[in-house]
Amino acid sequence: MADGYTIAIDWDNDGDYTDTGETVTDDVLQRGVVTFQYGRDSSRALSPPRVGAIGFTLCNADRLYSPENPDSPIANDVAPAARILVEETIDSTLYPLMTGRIDTFAVTARRGDRSVQITGFDDLSLLRGKKITTEMYAAQRTGTLIGIILDAVGWSAARDLDVGATHVPWWWANSDDAFDLLTELLRSEGPPSIAFIAPDGTFTYRDRHHRLLRAASLTSQATYTSTRTGLDCCDTGGFGEGGFGECDYGG
């Protein structure tokens, strides 16, 4: 596989990204480079989770992405909430960067600007505005209760939930917003607990002890140094002593 990123949209919602017009990488305009973000809505440790967002602009000079164009092979499939997949290949290894769904799809038809602006959200957005009701639970950990929220909203994708370090004496939902309930449980767990949708679409919950227990926090991921190497700037020794250094400065 060649190095680089790929963007695909599952227009016909059949679970793959291999049909006509679904690989849109070559149509992404440089002026609207792909941007995406997820994690927290600010840098504070107690900030609520951020719904992952993505945005990019496609060239539409051939009107492939125009739903009203009868000659477009995907005209009947272009619709809101189509799945988006962003991946990157580095040294022949494929890494997922984000999965989500289209939120806005705006076609620009001016003579000098035939393009489509697309924004989307990851599946954490499915919890917003979703009212749920549950039975009452006694002395359950936060991870178990987050799993109950996911069950109540009909979450069918993968999930990776820590058990949680906090026991909640009593917990229930009575026509409450699922996202608000999730935020309350994260506050009960305390920092640095977090919930997010991983790049491969897995709902992920980490409790307040995860940085003390997980290998990703205990094992060095990279090394940075200020020591110069042979590929860095050449030695400038000799300045102040009448010399010009090894690179013939001033010479």
Side-chain angles (χ1 to χ4, degrees):
M1 295 181 290
D3 285 359
Y5 74 88
T6 58
I7 302 178
I9 302 175
D10 185 13
W11 296 116
D12 57 4
N13 197 31
D14 65 352
D16 66 52
Y17 298 87
T18 60
D19 299 317
T20 301
E22 293 193 338
T23 299
V24 302
T25 308
D26 292 342
D27 288 335
V28 175
L29 292 175
Q30 186 174 8
R31 72 162 193 245
V33 293
V34 180
T35 60
F36 57 91
Q37 55 189 359
Y38 61 93
R40 303 184 192 276
D41 68 0
S42 71
S43 60
R44 295 179 295 118
L46 282 174
S47 296
R50 177 200 299 271
V51 174
I54 186 170
F56 52 92
T57 303
L58 300 179
C59 175
N60 194 33
D62 57 3
R63 300 180 64 208
L64 174 65
Y65 307 109
S66 297
E68 77 284 356
N69 178 19
D71 296 327
S72 170
I74 63 172
N76 294 327
D77 297 323
V78 176
R83 300 288 303 181
I84 303 172
L85 175 65
V86 184
E87 299 175 312
E88 183 171 13
T89 300
I90 301 176
D91 294 335
S92 298
T93 300
L94 186 65
Y95 299 94
L97 298 181
M98 186 175 182
T99 59
R101 293 181 181 274
I102 289 178
D103 178 54
T104 63
F105 183 92
V107 178
T108 301
R110 292 192 298 271
R111 181 187 295 270
D113 182 12
R114 293 183 177 178
S115 61
V116 176
Q117 290 78 44
I118 295 176
T119 64
F121 295 119
D122 69 16
D123 285 345
L124 196 59
S125 62
L126 299 178
L127 275 65
R128 283 198 178 276
K130 184 74 171 182
K131 303 294 184 181
I132 63 172
T133 299
T134 70
E135 61 183 274
M136 182 179 291
Y137 296 89
Q140 296 295 321
R141 293 193 180 191
T142 49
T144 299
L145 297 175
I146 289 175
I148 292 170
I149 292 174
L150 295 180
D151 291 339
V153 301
W155 184 270
S156 59
R159 62 182 74 178
D160 181 4
L161 310 179
D162 282 354
V163 174
T166 296
H167 285 83
V168 180
W170 299 98
W171 186 91
W172 70 93
N174 183 19
S175 295
D176 296 308
D177 185 275
F179 189 87
D180 292 342
L181 291 170
L182 171 65
T183 300
E184 291 173 0
L185 288 173
L186 291 174
R187 288 173 178 167
S188 297
E189 179 68 20
S193 64
I194 189 172
F196 58 93
I197 305 300
D200 64 357
T202 300
F203 185 103
T204 305
Y205 165 60
R206 296 291 175 254
D207 64 25
R208 68 174 182 263
H209 289 160
H210 74 275
R211 291 181 182 172
L212 301 175
L213 301 174
R214 290 189 169 268
S217 298
L218 299 176
T219 305
S220 175
Q221 303 297 303
T223 301
Y224 298 90
T225 177
S226 60
T227 303
R228 294 192 316 189
T229 69
L231 299 177
D232 289 329
C233 298
C234 52
D235 188 1
T236 57
F239 279 96
E241 300 176 1
F244 297 100
E246 294 182 356
C247 293
D248 297 327
Y249 282 95

